Amino acid sequence: MSRHSDTPARLPELPPEMKLHTETPADEPDICLVYAETIEEALDWLHTIQQTTSRPPVLLLPRTDEQEALLLMKKPLAGLITLDWLHQETDRIFSMLHSGEFLLDPAFYQPLVKATIQLRRRTQPITRFYLDEEAVDPALSRTEKQILLHLANGCNTEAIAEEMFYSPKTVKSYISRLIRHLHAPDRTAVVLHAIRSNWLIDERGSS
């Protein structure tokens, strides 16, 4: 076992076949556990280890951070754990490492699942927009909001007029009012403004 003096005192005793890298990777170990205080240090370590061994490391972090976990999970790793979990489940963790399982601290489950769902959702086509009544500009009238929603869902003047039982001229008048109110150059810019302002909720279907 190799341990550097800068290693945090809280680390439990490691089995002989595990080498703990904290400065310079030594001979290739059976299990490579890398402790990093910061995301920058972790990325530097991963880059160094990739140059010296084909064995992906288990990365040990001092805390749970959603954004850091998402970034690090894209890297070649054998596991991602925190100090707290290592202390709580030391024997179980070492057993899992020997079995060749990918080791993921349960503290990272929720943010990674959330990110996976969001990524999958972004790859699906938008089928319809709905208006977020709490977010939309309260200065807009009920009719203006309805017409804005129809525009967002791709309706032209004639389709909006038919849907709302208005004349096309009346619909054009409301669209012009929206354009003036939002200081937009055209109806497309009105819809873009609504999307960027989070006035619209999208519904997505299967791709």
Side-chain angles (χ1 to χ4, degrees), residues 1-4 18-35 41-59:
M1 177 181 68
S2 172
R3 183 179 292 202
H4 188 271
M18 177 175 281
K19 292 183 183 293
L20 175 66
H21 292 318
T22 57
E23 277 199 353
T24 305
D27 296 332
E28 183 166 328
D30 294 329
I31 301 171
C32 181
L33 177 65
V34 177
Y35 178 79
E41 185 180 339
L43 294 174
D44 286 344
W45 263 113
L46 292 175
H47 177 74
T48 301
I49 290 173
Q50 284 178 353
Q51 309 304 313
T52 59
T53 177
S54 60
R55 190 181 300 281
V58 175
L59 195 57

Side-chain angles (χ1 to χ4, degrees), residues 91-148:
D91 292 340
R92 179 185 169 207
I93 288 172
F94 291 155
S95 175
M96 292 172 69
L97 285 169
H98 284 296
S99 71
E101 296 180 53
F102 183 85
L103 200 57
L104 182 62
D105 192 315
F108 294 118
Y109 287 174
Q110 185 174 353
L112 291 175
V113 169
K114 179 181 176 183
T116 301
I117 292 173
Q118 290 176 339
L119 178 61
R120 183 178 299 170
R121 192 167 180 269
R122 285 198 298 269
T123 64
Q124 296 174 340
I126 295 173
T127 57
R128 184 173 178 81
F129 281 110
Y130 295 92
L131 205 62
D132 187 338
E133 293 289 350
E134 295 183 359
V136 71
D137 187 345
L140 297 182
S141 68
R142 181 174 177 274
T143 302
E144 288 170 337
K145 293 176 185 177
Q146 289 178 321
I147 289 179
L148 171 60

